[in-house]
Amino acid sequence: DPNSVLFDSESASFAIYTTETHELVGMAGLVHVDHVDRIAEFFIMIGDQRHRGQGFGTEATRLVLDHAFIALGLTSVRLGVFSYNPGAVRAYAIQFAKLGGARVVATVSGDAKAEVAADAGADYVLNYRAEDVVGRVLDLPGGGGADRIVDVEFGGNLAQSIKVLKPNGVLAAYASDAVLEPKVPFYQLAYRNAAVRFILVFMLPEGLKARGVADITEWLERGELRHTIARRFPLRATADAHAFME
């Protein structure tokens, strides 16, 4: 559908929707398209949990790769972390924050995830299924509360996030699967002078993305980032890799 595609010289974004009801399922596409070296980076996001595991992502991946290799004539497409994979996001967010000098509190749902968070460098790891996370965060040594919150479930965690967010704090989120249309308590946020930021990396200003790339590249060159790899796939099996993630 031409009305569902956005193009510029360095990107191509496609809307994913059901053929029966035309319900929006997510987005997929290419960013950082380099027509000289003939490479690009692939992204995909399936928003609602109920649409995952039904093959939408697999089909979208095949179509976008066809566009990349056939229509654009690219020879290489890179595949990064899927934005809805909270475990991967958590592990890197912890490391980025620590490298930036932050004290990090990670919340997890089990022992295996706690081990990953601790290995990534979190100063405190709290199991939200077994502990009073709000109480623990507010009682942290040296002053409780959070200056910055990176949340993978905005609506589901909003009430708790507000309780621990310090005045002038920032709540950054990119997903809200449990509560698709959360009710926002305006005055609770206003009285904290809080900033709420919605993050979609491929829509960030180019200058901000360039700063992030530069920082990550420097950390990689120094060997300061650790990576947890569940499984490896060849490029020709990109669709299989997406199915594995689903």
Side-chain angles (χ1 to χ4, degrees):
D1 180 356
N3 295 322
S4 300
V5 184
L6 297 175
F7 289 104
D8 60 34
S9 62
E10 297 182 352
S11 66
S13 299
F14 300 84
I16 305 169
Y17 58 87
T18 63
T19 55
E20 295 83 6
T21 64
H22 283 232
E23 180 181 2
L24 182 65
V25 171
M27 294 186 67
L30 303 167
V31 292
H32 307 306
V33 178
D34 186 329
H35 295 281
V36 176
D37 292 331
R38 299 168 70 187
I39 61 174
E41 181 175 338
F42 170 73
F43 75 86
I44 186 167
M45 179 180 64
I46 307 296
D48 193 332
Q49 183 72 39
R50 61 192 171 90
H51 289 136
R52 298 175 191 169
Q54 297 188 40
F56 291 115
T58 301
E59 180 65 14
T61 299
R62 290 195 177 99
L63 292 172
V64 173
L65 291 180
D66 281 348
H67 178 75
F69 294 129
I70 298 174
L72 298 183
L74 303 181
T75 59
S76 178
V77 175
R78 297 170 292 181
L79 177 64
V81 170
F82 286 81
S83 65
Y84 57 78
N85 182 351
V89 172
R90 181 188 299 111
Y92 286 113
I94 292 170
Q95 294 183 73
F96 294 166
K98 289 298 296 180
L99 288 166
R103 178 177 65 167
V104 178
V105 179
T107 60
V108 299
S109 60
D111 294 339
K113 294 178 181 178
E115 184 177 343
V116 172
D119 184 64
D123 298 282
Y124 302 92
V125 181
L126 309 178
N127 186 329
Y128 61 78
R129 291 181 175 171
E131 301 180 72
D132 175 13
V133 171
V134 172
R136 288 287 307 278
V137 173
L138 293 177
D139 289 339
L140 288 176
D147 297 295
R148 301 286 188 276
I149 296 175
V150 178
D151 205 333
V152 298
E153 178 45 60
F154 177 77
N157 296 329
L158 184 56
Q160 291 78 15
S161 296
I162 291 175
K163 290 177 182 178
V164 301
L165 190 63
K166 289 183 178 180
N168 301 303
V170 176
L171 171 55
Y174 70 88
S176 188
D177 289 342
V179 183
L180 296 180
E181 297 183 0
K183 181 179 179 180
V184 178
F186 175 82
Y187 283 108
Q188 291 184 51
L189 290 166
Y191 291 155
R192 282 174 170 73
N193 201 37
V196 178
R197 294 178 180 165
F198 301 99
I199 307 298
L200 288 178
V201 173
F202 50 88
M203 295 185 69
L204 290 174
E206 288 301 320
L208 193 58
K209 284 193 286 189
R211 285 174 52 192
V213 169
D215 287 340
I216 293 171
T217 300
E218 182 177 351
W219 293 330
L220 287 170
E221 290 174 345
R222 292 179 182 175
E224 294 180 315
L225 292 177
R226 297 182 295 280
H227 317 286
T228 301
I229 301 174
R231 185 173 168 184
R232 297 178 184 271
F233 293 84
L235 180 61
R236 64 179 180 277
T238 300
D240 296 331
H242 179 79
F244 176 76
M245 292 293 296
E246 288 188 338

